[in-house]
Amino acid sequence: MQFIGKIVGFILGYQIFHGLFGGLLGAFIGHLADKKLYELGSVRSSIFGKNLTRQLLFTKTTFAVLGHIAKAKGRVTEADIELARALMARLKLDSATQKMAQNAFSLGKDADFPLRQVIQEFREACGQRADLLRFFVEVQMQAALQDGELDANEQRILFAIAETMGMSRFQFEQMLSMIIAAQQFRAGGFYQQHTGGYQQSQGGYGNYQQPAKPSIDAAYTVLGVTAQDDQNTVKRAYRKLMNEHHPDKLAAKGLPDEMMELAKEKAQQIQSAYDLICKVKGWK
């Protein structure tokens, strides 16, 4: 319950300072207390154990689901393992955290891995914070796309994750399109480099090839807008996405320090897409 501090703070502030201003001041102090207690609080998982920090649960869940997605195509290849190792290197995990991530990845490969249970527990541990949960789904989508294709089984697992998070099919498809488009604005990262665009086939997306340079159509898709939208509409979409992906805000809600680089990269993709639209449109 992340509002007790606010209520107690308001009551004490109102009584001490004898007025509404004192109550509001107390509520603000209570809000800071609620935030700190949330950050320091421990959570539990039926899969990963109890007395975990939210940051640790985020990392464990991330790599377990990555292992589950890698297994979706039938077997985990050496290329899948190398991509997981590349992500660990990208996140600059220390040896202990790497070992933990490897164990979680292996756990996710089990045939009886309870995906929906793991995601539901993760969602509850995060206090159902929409922006943090959204970022988690985006990380999984990016990871599934890193080998250059997305088959029907991978797409099914990704939708199961999104659905358990409370997303509709429309929201899922929109997010996936935005993630695919955002690849064109990636300055670097652990993902393999390709040349061209995603083609959907047999219920999935196959043969991803990244264009030589970002397109204006991709920029619109990244922001979830169209070429017909006016400047105010585009700006509102841009600001909303930047607010949802602000690294400091995500960190305060449980994003591990190791994931900050990915959050910064995502924010840069959004910024680059917006800058391209403004340039093409001649907007200041």
Side-chain angles (χ1 to χ4, degrees):
M1 298 176 69
Q2 299 300 315
F3 53 84
I4 296 299
K6 301 178 185 66
I7 295 175
V8 173
F10 179 84
I11 294 173
L12 292 177
Y14 190 91
Q15 292 177 341
I16 293 173
F17 295 101
H18 307 289
L20 180 61
F21 177 78
L24 294 175
L25 178 61
F28 176 71
I29 295 174
H31 165 71
L32 297 179
D34 284 337
K35 180 178 177 181
K36 181 54 65 176
L37 287 173
Y38 171 80
E39 293 175 7
L40 297 176
S42 63
V43 296
R44 62 183 302 164
S45 165
S46 61
I47 306 300
F48 304 117
K50 58 183 180 179
N51 297 324
L52 301 169
T53 64
R54 288 177 177 80
Q55 289 83 355
L56 187 59
L57 180 61
F58 194 107
T59 301
K60 282 177 172 286
T61 304
T62 295
F63 280 94
V65 174
L66 289 179
H68 192 65
I69 292 175
K71 183 69 173 180
K73 289 180 289 188
R75 68 185 184 88
V76 179
T77 65
E78 185 61 32
D80 293 324
I81 296 174
E82 284 302 315
L83 287 171
R85 289 172 179 166
L87 174 57
M88 295 177 196
R90 168 70 169 160
L91 300 180
K92 300 178 181 179
L93 302 185
D94 58 33
S95 57
T97 308
Q98 282 190 34
K99 182 64 176 177
M100 177 200 70
Q102 290 168 356
N103 290 338
F105 186 87
S106 296
L107 180 63
K109 294 188 298 182
D110 290 346
D112 58 350
F113 179 72
L115 176 67
R116 287 187 180 271
Q117 179 182 341
V118 168
I119 296 302
Q120 182 60 40
E121 291 179 351
F122 174 76
R123 180 185 181 186
E124 293 172 357
C126 291
Q128 301 192 39
R129 283 163 165 76
D131 42 5
L132 184 62
L133 298 177
R134 178 185 176 89
F135 184 79
F136 176 86
V137 177
E138 289 176 346
V139 170
Q140 300 303 329
M141 287 181 172
Q142 291 174 10
L145 294 168
Q146 64 187 326
D147 64 353
E149 60 184 23
L150 184 66
D151 68 20
N153 286 333
E154 291 174 313
Q155 189 171 344
R156 174 181 52 80
I157 290 174
L158 289 175
F159 179 66
I161 295 169
E163 187 178 44
T164 307
M165 291 291 195
M167 296 173 59
S168 67
R169 170 64 72 172
F170 173 78
Q171 290 172 319
F172 168 76
E173 294 288 353
Q174 183 182 47
M175 179 184 288
L176 184 57
S177 296
M178 293 169 74
I179 292 298
I180 292 173
Q183 302 301 301
Q184 296 187 26
F185 295 88
R186 186 179 63 246
F190 67 94
Y191 304 109
Q192 290 183 331
Q193 300 299 313
H194 304 274
T195 57
Y198 278 97
Q199 302 292 326
Q200 185 166 5
S201 60
Q202 299 181 349
Y205 292 80
N207 302 323
Y208 166 61
Q209 296 182 320
Q210 183 177 323
K213 63 180 182 179
S215 69
I216 185 61
D217 289 338
Y220 290 129
T221 303
V222 169
L223 300 189
V225 298
T226 69
Q228 289 70 45
D229 288 325
D230 60 23
Q231 185 173 5
N232 287 334
T233 300
V234 174
K235 184 177 291 186
R236 281 196 300 270
Y238 158 72
R239 288 178 174 174
K240 181 176 183 293
L241 286 173
M242 289 297 285
N243 183 62
E244 291 174 347
H245 294 85
H246 194 290
D248 293 339
K249 292 183 178 180
L250 289 172
K253 295 177 180 179
L255 185 70
D257 291 341
E258 296 85 359
M259 298 285 177
M260 289 292 285
E261 190 63 30
L262 297 184
K264 292 176 182 177
E265 184 176 299
K266 180 62 180 180
Q268 290 171 354
Q269 292 170 353
I270 296 168
Q271 183 67 60
S272 297
Y274 179 69
D275 289 344
L276 178 58
I277 293 174
C278 289
K279 180 179 179 181
V280 171
K281 291 284 192 177
W283 295 338
K284 299 297 184 181

